[in-house]
Amino acid sequence: MSEDVVKHMTEHMSRLPKKMQMGLKLCACLGPKFDTAIVEKVQRGANIGDNFLESCVDDGFLQNKGDSGFYTWAHDQVQQAAYELIPLQQREKFHLLIGSRLFLSTSSAEIDKFIFYIVDNMNRGVTLVDNPQQKYEMAELNLRAGEKILERHSFQSSVKYLMAGIALLENDSWEKKYGLTIRLHDAASEALCATGDFPKLTALAEKPLIYARCFQDKLNIYNNLVRALSSSGENEECISRCVSVLSQLGEFLPKHITPDIYREEVAKVKQALIGQSKQDLLSLPVMTKAKKLTAMRFLNHMLIATYSTNPPLNLLVVFRMVRMTVDFGVCNISAVGFACYGAWLASSPNDEYEGAFTMGRVASDLMKKLCGAEAEILPRIYLLVYGMINIYKEPWQASLCKYSEAFDAGMISGDTEYALSNITLYYMLSLFNCGSNLKETSQSLHKFVKRALQYQHQTAARTLAISEQMAYDLMGLKKNCYEAHFGLDEEALKNFFVRNKLANMARNLYQKIKYVTYMCGDMDAAAKHYDLQEKLNANCSSDLVPKTTSGRTSFFFISTFIDGLIGLYFARKHREDEAKWTHVAEKAIELMKKWTDSSSWNCANKSYLLQAEYFFLKNDERAYACYRASITKAREHKFNHEEGLAHEKLATYLLYKNQHDEALQHFQNAKKCYATWGANVLVQRVEKAITILSPLCVGMPSARVSVAAHARAIVASSTVDHCHLPRTTTMVVGSSNPPLQVVLGSRASSDSSATQCAAESSAIRGNSTAYILGTSAYPRLGSGLKLKIDGRVPMEDRKAPLSQFRPKSLLLSTFRVVAINISSTLSTYFSDQLTSEQDNEKLVDDGEITPYEADEMNEEWESREWQKRMDILPKKIGYALLRFHACTALMRFYELIIGRYILCVDGNARLESGSIPGRDNSTYEHSVDVMDKLTRDPFQASLRTSQILHNQEHSPGKVLSSDGKETSTSSELYKQMYTTCFWANIIPFLAELTVQHGVLLYGYGVYYMEKKRRRKEREMSNNDDDEQCKDEQDETEPVDETAYALSILFRSSHLTFSRGVSLIAASVGGAVGSVIYPGWGAIFGIQIGDTSVGALLD
């Protein structure tokens, strides 16, 4: 309803009887829903009539919800209209009156039923309360309402009541009402922690920590404060607070952990567990000592903070939790301790997977025994059991639903820290391990990052953002989610983690970058981040037991897998660091075999692929069988992304073995897998490999152009490097004579000079013709010319002389000409029809004809003109086709003349040696470059140029121009495409101009000859009367030949000027169209520019 409707309804209500108005006012203050009992209490002392509720229902103000006794307003604006009956200056007083009346008329047994009606109304009138005793009573009511709604996990509403209660406290409440004050602060701190309002919680905690009478009264405040510190990423402060509290509880943790302390703690916890079976641990008595229960709670709070920043201390916390459970009995936190201990057992160097799995079952069973199915600690147990233990035994896909269940449970119970930790593991497992679709996953990831930030959980938000950015990178999207969420780029975020000693976050970021760069083929960047990760691990291990960890997530498996692949790649380079990388690979293979023994489902395909790559390094024929096994296992176990990687690796191996047909098939399979994953960057890279391999498999001599054309792009995109061909590999194409060799690897350096290329080519080819990818030439151009920057062969777009008469080209050109002429005829017809009808309407308005006559004239015009234009249309199309083919033939003729006689880039005798007598090579290259510009295809050029510029972006929408200045990608694309379109349109416009001049001269010739014929006829015709002769004399007066020539010259100049302007306009249109929509935008832009100028000037 609009405000006008509300105002009108209020006016209507104001005309009702006073009793009815009073009832509406009271009910409006009760909220959107109320029952008969509350209305009866409110109306005491106010005369609203016996049948008030029934009357409201009859009038349409209220609705009766069946026999439940509850009433609701017909619309929220109806309630608002009733509320408007209360004068603004009296509303606070009215609310306070209702709240007080309800409170006084409600017994202590009924107070919980009506507590929210009472408190809501009293709080609306709180400014009218001055009496301290009344304020304390209202504060106690707010506490009661806040605690009640806190039990329902409605944390935002709870904060409202509890903070209102705290605001009612007097300055001396810590002395006079200590119990009420401390309870309000305890409950409010818990609610604020659950809502993620950590700044307000920190401010709230100051007074209780100062004025609380004993240490026990501070514990709840400390409990919620350290949870907030951990969630917001202030790990050092969180650890410091927990250590301080634990020391006062009699549990002392060392500040500096030496190897002796660590070994002693390990020995103690193992001694405590000797002889303890699963059933023995589940049968331990319940912990009853209050101090120990509190200590367990604070040890639990330390887990996440120490896991991120102080792993050695994390282990001591876990050991202490297990020992306290064995010595003093079990509590709900004991399940967390057992789960953490199991995670440690599964980690290096223990690798006790069966023992870890047993501890995981103990933790799960103990949680169910002590807490039931809806345990508040469920998010913590699931995080540890399914995130760090079961990953060594059960299929990874099975854990995804458990993470989701834990997230929901945590959000309901208010344990947002562990709820969001579960969702971070969900997405890490989903993206990196299970290969879920990147597009779908990234969309939901973005929402969860925002949700984590809303709850002030910085650690979870950063971890989720790392996964989100990984999805964007593999999808090929130019998005920076770090900038969007944190105002930092990736490098700045990396420095932030290192500077603030957030080792776990830095490790996650290094692993993500390493994974993406490896998958995208940037091997140097992948190796760099492997070294950074190892350096970080070395710094974190301190002097403790090296490589000891407190628990590993599933991403550690993928990180180890990628480490092995990186090591094998660089080992195959046979450089001075070969031993280092071989050791890295062998270590990864050993670990993966161990994990495969524990969980074949998760690790078998990775183990087979690492072994295959190792056999490839050693030139062992067993590599092929291992590749095939890896593909099979990945497909069976639903790791679609790793199936694609295995296909790609096998294709590389087969390429090395010169088995091109089978290699092509595996590249195509890899493309399908990557496409399903949504990794567009990988799809594009594999497509380039398919492009180069396709002609190699066909084996036709004409395939040489295609091979050379895409070789440069393959090398530039690191696909060859990523295919792991560090040594020179020669592939022989087909059975052409002489055969064509393509050299991959070290000789395919894009930095080699033309002379070096020719020398290398001559050295390897023998009796065959060799071409080096990235530097060699297109066969017709000799071996000294380089390919273009976009991978094209020079003059690749140039058409054959009679290419327009090939069936496909002929069909397309005919369809285009017919469509243009039909659309032109129809548009002209409808335009003329509109003009004719407007002229007739004007005659009707002037009274010259009647409307009936106008209709008849319109019908006559339509019939006559339609028939006339349809009769002439076939001839018009025929002339257009003739003109089109004439222009095309002239274009090919001009290309032939320019190429053969002007630029001298055509001709077999000249090209066999790659040089022209009397011309140096640089002049020849320049001639080829000019011919290439003149014969470019604007459609393909637009697509290629757009792609290259977007790949060269150093920041979103920004590239470096040719003069080294930063400019927008659109501006640079416009600049380059204007030049390209201008050059490419010179020959077509010259051909068009030639045809138009031919038509012009033909017309003038016909006109001149007709004049001469008429003059001769006049001279021979002496029998006609004088008048008729005089008329004909005027008509056939001979034209002065000088004026005739000047007229031709004028029209020719006008035509040339018009076509010149059209050339510029078409180039501008093509450039603008390329910016709007590369490819077809260039074609339509050229057409629009040409047509527009033609319409203005012709």
Side-chain angles (χ1 to χ4, degrees):
M1 296 183 184
S2 64
E3 293 184 2
D4 291 339
V5 175
V6 174
K7 183 179 180 181
H8 173 73
M9 187 170 294
T10 303
E11 292 176 354
H12 169 68
M13 290 179 176
S14 65
R15 292 192 291 271
L16 295 173
K18 294 295 183 182
K19 294 181 179 180
M20 192 74 167
Q21 290 186 43
M22 177 57 69
L24 288 171
K25 293 177 185 178
L26 294 173
C27 291
C29 294
L30 296 177
K33 182 180 178 180
F34 46 86
D35 62 1
T36 307
I38 191 70
V39 175
E40 290 177 356
K41 287 183 176 291
V42 169
Q43 71 174 342
R44 291 176 184 175
N47 187 9
I48 64 173
D50 296 332
N51 301 317
F52 166 73
L53 292 175
E54 290 78 2
S55 299
C56 287
V57 172
D58 293 340
D59 291 342
F61 299 143
L62 297 176
Q63 294 178 346
N64 188 357
K65 295 295 183 180
D67 298 330
S68 62
F70 279 95
Y71 291 84
T72 61
W73 292 95
H75 194 279
D76 56 351
Q77 297 288 20
V78 176
Q79 180 190 0
Q80 182 63 29
Y83 190 71
E84 294 288 339
L85 293 172
I86 308 173
L88 182 62
Q89 64 274 16
Q90 296 181 14
R91 288 177 186 175
E92 291 186 356
K93 182 178 180 181
F94 202 83
H95 279 290
L96 183 61
L97 176 65
I98 292 175
S100 301
R101 185 179 293 171
L102 282 172
F103 176 59
L104 295 173
S105 61
T106 302
S107 65
S108 57
E110 294 180 309
I111 194 72
D112 282 343
K113 181 179 179 181
F114 301 113
I115 185 66
F116 297 114
Y117 293 110
I118 296 170
V119 174
D120 285 340
N121 280 280
M122 280 189 168
N123 286 346
R124 296 287 294 273
V126 68
T127 57
L128 303 176
V129 179
D130 296 326
N131 187 292
Q133 186 60 36
Q134 291 179 345
K135 284 187 176 182
Y136 285 134
E137 287 181 353
M138 289 179 63
E140 190 165 353
L141 288 171
N142 273 283
L143 172 64
R144 193 162 186 170
E147 288 181 335
K148 182 176 182 180
I149 203 166
L150 191 61
E151 293 174 358
R152 302 176 186 174
H153 305 300
S154 182
F155 303 108
Q156 294 288 355
S157 298
S158 177
V159 167
K160 181 185 72 172
Y161 291 118
L162 294 169
M163 295 306 293
I166 291 174
L168 286 163
L169 297 175
E170 297 288 321
N171 292 330
D172 58 355
S173 65
W174 289 100
E175 297 178 2
K176 295 183 177 180
K177 293 290 182 178
Y178 177 79
L180 171 64
T181 305
I182 195 68
R183 283 179 62 196
L184 273 169
H185 282 81
D186 284 349
S189 67
E190 183 177 349
L192 288 169
C193 184
T195 59
D197 195 347
F198 301 141
K200 189 176 288 186
L201 170 58
T202 304
L204 179 75
E206 292 179 359
K207 287 186 177 180
L209 295 179
I210 295 173
Y211 297 113
R213 294 175 180 176
C214 61
F215 174 67
Q216 284 74 16
D217 288 345
K218 299 180 182 180
L219 286 175
N220 281 333
I221 297 295
Y222 274 128
N223 177 69
N224 294 312
L225 183 59
V226 296
R227 286 175 61 194
L229 291 169
S230 175
S231 298
S232 57
E234 299 180 36
N235 296 318
E236 295 294 342
E237 178 67 17
C238 172
I239 294 170
S240 176
R241 293 269 190 177
C242 287
V243 170
S244 175
V245 171
L246 287 168
S247 65
Q248 296 182 66
L249 293 170
E251 296 293 331
F252 299 95
L253 293 171
K255 292 183 178 180
H256 303 288
I257 303 172
T258 65
D260 291 337
I261 291 176
Y262 173 78
R263 284 190 287 269
E264 182 182 351
E265 290 291 332
V266 171
K268 286 180 180 179
V269 73
K270 288 190 173 182
Q271 180 65 33
L273 290 172
I274 288 179
Q276 298 281 359
S277 65
K278 174 188 173 184
Q279 191 58 42
D280 293 335
L281 293 174
L282 291 174
S283 301
L284 288 171
V286 176
M287 187 180 293
T288 55
K289 291 187 176 182
K291 281 191 174 183
K292 298 303 177 183
L293 287 168
T294 305
M296 288 288 284
R297 187 168 52 171
F298 279 90
L299 287 169
N300 178 40
H301 293 327
M302 290 182 70
L303 289 174
I304 284 187
T306 53
Y307 181 81
S308 300
T309 57
N310 195 339
L313 182 58
N314 180 271
L315 293 173
L316 264 64
V317 169
V318 172
F319 298 156
R320 188 68 57 89
M321 292 172 74
V322 173
R323 284 172 47 211
M324 286 177 62
T325 297
V326 175
D327 294 341
F328 299 101
V330 296
C331 62
N332 58 348
I333 304 299
S334 299
V336 179
F338 286 133
C340 289
Y341 185 73
W344 174 73
L345 288 176
S347 301
S348 176
N350 305 302
D351 296 325
E352 298 179 21
Y353 305 129
E354 289 301 327
F357 202 59
T358 299
M359 281 296 170
R361 290 197 296 269
V362 168
S364 298
D365 292 346
L366 187 61
M367 175 190 69
K368 295 176 183 177
K369 177 182 177 182
L370 296 177
C371 308
E374 298 182 359
E376 289 190 2
I377 62 169
L378 183 143
R380 304 172 183 236
I381 299 300
Y382 277 17
L383 178 77
L384 295 162
V385 173
Y386 293 100
M388 297 183 179
I389 297 176
N390 287 10
I391 54 176
Y392 294 93
K393 297 285 287 184
E394 297 180 351
W396 287 335
Q397 294 90 336
S399 297
L400 292 174
C401 61
K402 296 296 183 180
Y403 294 140
S404 296
E405 182 182 345
F407 171 77
D408 293 337
M411 296 306 293
I412 291 173
S413 65
D415 192 358
T416 55
E417 180 182 18
Y418 275 87
L420 290 167
S421 296
N422 273 279
I423 212 66
T424 60
L425 285 188
Y426 174 93
Y427 282 107
M428 288 178 67
L429 183 70
S430 178
L431 283 174
F432 292 99
N433 297 68
C434 300
S436 300
N437 183 267
L438 295 172
K439 182 178 180 181
E440 297 174 359
T441 307
S442 64
Q443 291 172 348
S444 52
L445 253 174
H446 186 77
K447 298 176 183 177
F448 277 110
V449 176
K450 288 188 173 182
R451 194 165 185 179
L453 289 172
Q454 177 187 351
Y455 283 98
Q456 302 293 320
H457 288 282
Q458 296 294 330
T459 301
R462 291 164 186 159
T463 307
L464 288 167
I466 289 172
S467 298
E468 182 185 2
Q469 188 61 48
M470 174 267 203
Y472 290 154
D473 292 344
L474 291 176
M475 290 165 64
L477 300 179
K478 300 295 183 181
K479 288 186 177 181
N480 185 349
C481 70
Y482 307 130
E483 182 72 32
H485 297 308
F486 313 115
L488 301 171
D489 59 17
E490 191 164 74
E491 190 64 28
L493 191 66
K494 188 193 309 181
N495 295 333
F496 174 82
F497 291 154
V498 174
R499 185 170 60 253
N500 290 277
K501 299 180 181 179
L502 300 175
N504 200 48
M505 293 303 307
R507 186 181 297 110
N508 287 341
L509 185 56
Y510 289 157
Q511 289 173 343
K512 171 263 173 186
I513 298 174
K514 180 181 66 177
Y515 182 88
V516 171
T517 51
Y518 176 81
M519 295 298 289
C520 294
D522 189 352
M523 304 305 298
D524 291 333
K528 172 187 174 183
H529 284 88
Y530 168 82
D531 291 334
L532 287 172
Q533 180 183 322
E534 288 301 299
K535 181 180 178 181
L536 180 68
N537 291 338
N539 292 337
C540 291
S541 63
S542 183
D543 295 325
L544 197 61
V545 179
K547 304 300 182 184
T548 296
T549 58
S550 51
R552 298 181 296 208
T553 63
S554 58
F555 192 50
F556 182 76
F557 291 78
I558 303 302
S559 181
T560 302
F561 176 51
I562 296 298
D563 289 346
L565 292 174
I566 294 172
L568 288 163
Y569 168 81
F570 283 103
R572 202 152 50 245
K573 287 282 188 181
H574 298 295
R575 302 187 306 200
E576 63 276 3
D577 57 355
E578 180 179 354
K580 165 196 168 182
W581 290 113
T582 301
H583 175 71
V584 171
E586 289 174 345
K587 180 183 175 183
I589 292 172
E590 180 184 357
L591 274 174
M592 202 60 67
K593 284 182 177 179
K594 186 186 297 184
W595 293 337
T596 302
D597 292 338
S598 178
S599 177
S600 175
W601 180 281
N602 295 329
C603 302
N605 68 298
K606 302 170 188 62
S607 180
Y608 279 125
L609 187 56
L610 287 173
Q611 292 178 60
E613 290 284 283
Y614 187 77
F615 289 143
F616 187 7
L617 171 67
K618 300 299 183 181
N619 202 22
D620 191 323
E621 294 299 325
R622 288 179 291 177
Y624 181 81
C626 288
Y627 281 124
R628 298 291 303 182
S630 177
I631 292 170
T632 301
K633 291 296 183 182
R635 184 185 303 115
E636 290 176 351
H637 299 164
K638 312 302 181 186
F639 299 128
N640 183 69
H641 59 315
E642 290 172 356
E643 181 189 348
L645 182 61
H647 276 297
E648 187 178 0
K649 297 302 179 188
L650 177 54
T652 302
Y653 175 76
L654 295 169
L655 195 65
Y656 183 83
K657 294 291 186 180
N658 287 327
Q659 299 178 28
H660 308 140
D661 291 334
E662 190 175 355
L664 176 63
Q665 182 61 47
H666 285 289
F667 272 129
Q668 290 170 339
N669 291 339
K671 177 185 173 183
K672 293 177 183 177
C673 294
Y674 289 150
T676 303
W677 190 22
N680 298 329
V681 171
L682 308 187
V683 171
Q684 293 170 6
R685 190 193 65 239
V686 174
E687 280 178 343
K688 293 177 181 178
I690 292 172
T691 303
I692 191 173
L693 270 181
S694 297
L696 296 179
C697 297
V698 174
M700 298 173 62
S702 62
R704 296 181 182 181
V705 177
S706 298
V707 172
H710 295 281
R712 177 68 172 83
I714 295 292
V715 175
S717 65
S718 302
T719 301
V720 173
D721 284 345
H722 189 65
C723 289
H724 309 308
L725 292 172
R727 299 189 299 270
T728 298
T729 302
T730 302
M731 299 185 295
V732 179
V733 184
S735 57
S736 59
N737 189 22
L740 170 66
Q741 292 182 359
V742 177
V743 182
L744 303 173
S746 60
R747 291 197 181 104
S749 171
S750 59
D751 297 328
S752 299
S753 68
T755 305
Q756 290 172 329
C757 291
E760 290 180 1
S761 177
S762 300
I764 64 171
R765 64 190 176 189
N767 295 325
S768 63
T769 304
Y771 300 93
I772 302 173
L773 295 190
T775 57
S776 68
Y778 161 69
R780 295 170 56 201
L781 301 177
S783 61
L785 290 174
K786 296 183 180 180
L787 299 173
K788 295 296 180 182
I789 191 172
D790 56 355
R792 292 184 307 106
V793 173
M795 299 189 298
E796 181 184 40
D797 295 338
R798 184 175 173 185
K799 303 295 189 298
L802 299 178
S803 60
Q804 71 269 29
F805 294 113
R806 292 173 182 169
K808 182 178 179 181
S809 299
L810 185 62
L811 181 62
L812 289 175
S813 62
T814 302
F815 175 78
R816 176 172 171 265
V817 171
V818 170
I820 290 174
N821 279 274
I822 290 176
S823 61
S824 174
T825 300
L826 291 176
S827 62
T828 305
Y829 171 79
F830 289 123
S831 176
D832 292 346
Q833 181 188 27
L834 181 60
T835 302
S836 175
E837 290 179 354
Q838 288 175 343
D839 291 341
N840 291 336
E841 287 179 4
K842 186 177 180 181
L843 293 175
V844 172
D845 293 338
D846 294 341
E848 297 182 17
I849 60 174
T850 64
Y852 178 77
E853 291 173 334
D855 291 340
E856 287 186 340
M857 292 171 66
N858 289 336
E859 290 178 2
E860 180 185 357
W861 186 95
E862 291 172 3
S863 176
R864 181 182 69 253
E865 290 297 325
W866 178 262
Q867 187 62 41
K868 177 181 175 181
R869 296 175 197 234
M870 289 300 105
D871 290 342
I872 204 173
L873 181 60
K875 185 183 293 185
K876 184 178 179 181
I877 291 174
Y879 284 140
L881 286 171
L882 181 61
R883 178 174 174 172
F884 171 80
H885 288 294
C887 289
T888 305
L890 276 172
M891 285 170 53
R892 303 292 175 257
F893 175 73
Y894 287 149
E895 289 173 5
L896 178 65
I897 296 301
I898 294 171
R900 184 179 293 269
Y901 300 108
I902 299 177
L903 297 176
C904 301
V905 295
D906 285 346
N908 295 330
R910 293 177 174 83
L911 300 174
E912 285 298 327
S913 62
S915 63
I916 304 295
R919 299 174 62 186
D920 57 25
N921 195 56
S922 61
T923 305
Y924 179 59
E925 286 188 10
H926 177 70
S927 298
V928 171
D929 186 56
V930 171
M931 193 64 192
D932 178 65
K933 291 179 180 179
L934 291 171
T935 56
R936 286 293 300 273
D937 179 0
F939 178 85
Q940 295 295 337
S942 178
L943 293 174
R944 289 166 176 161
T945 305
S946 175
Q947 184 62 49
I948 289 173
L949 289 177
H950 281 93
N951 290 340
Q952 291 175 350
E953 288 183 346
H954 60 85
S955 63
K958 296 292 183 182
V959 294
L960 294 178
S961 62
S962 56
D963 56 2
K965 297 180 180 178
E966 185 181 71
T967 184
S968 67
T969 306
S970 298
S971 298
E972 186 65 17
L973 177 60
Y974 173 85
K975 178 181 175 182
Q976 293 189 21
M977 280 307 301
Y978 173 79
T979 304
T980 299
C981 291
F982 184 86
W983 278 92
N985 285 323
I986 288 176
I987 293 179
F989 273 70
L990 182 60
E992 179 74 14
L993 182 61
T994 304
V995 171
Q996 290 182 346
H997 270 88
V999 173
L1000 178 66
L1001 293 175
Y1002 172 77
Y1004 267 94
V1006 170
Y1007 176 75
Y1008 182 77
M1009 295 305 295
E1010 180 65 18
K1011 287 288 185 180
K1012 289 183 66 177
R1013 184 185 64 80
R1014 289 188 178 184
R1015 186 173 58 184
K1016 288 181 180 181
E1017 288 180 354
R1018 181 178 57 81
E1019 292 174 353
M1020 295 173 61
S1021 158
N1022 296 323
N1023 299 325
D1024 297 333
D1025 56 32
D1026 294 339
E1027 188 67 26
Q1028 184 176 1
C1029 288
K1030 186 177 179 180
D1031 293 340
E1032 289 187 2
Q1033 182 178 358
D1034 293 338
E1035 293 177 4
T1036 60
E1037 190 68 27
V1039 180
D1040 182 41
E1041 293 185 357
T1042 302
Y1044 186 78
L1046 288 175
S1047 177
I1048 293 177
L1049 181 61
F1050 173 77
R1051 291 183 178 274
S1052 175
S1053 300
H1054 180 273
L1055 185 60
T1056 303
F1057 173 76
S1058 174
R1059 299 314 299 158
V1061 175
S1062 293
L1063 173 60
I1064 297 173
S1067 302
V1068 172
V1072 173
S1074 298
V1075 173
I1076 297 173
Y1077 191 84
W1080 285 111
I1083 300 300
F1084 285 114
I1086 291 172
Q1087 188 71 34
I1088 291 171
D1090 183 20
T1091 305
S1092 300
V1093 173
L1096 292 172
L1097 298 180
D1098 287 349

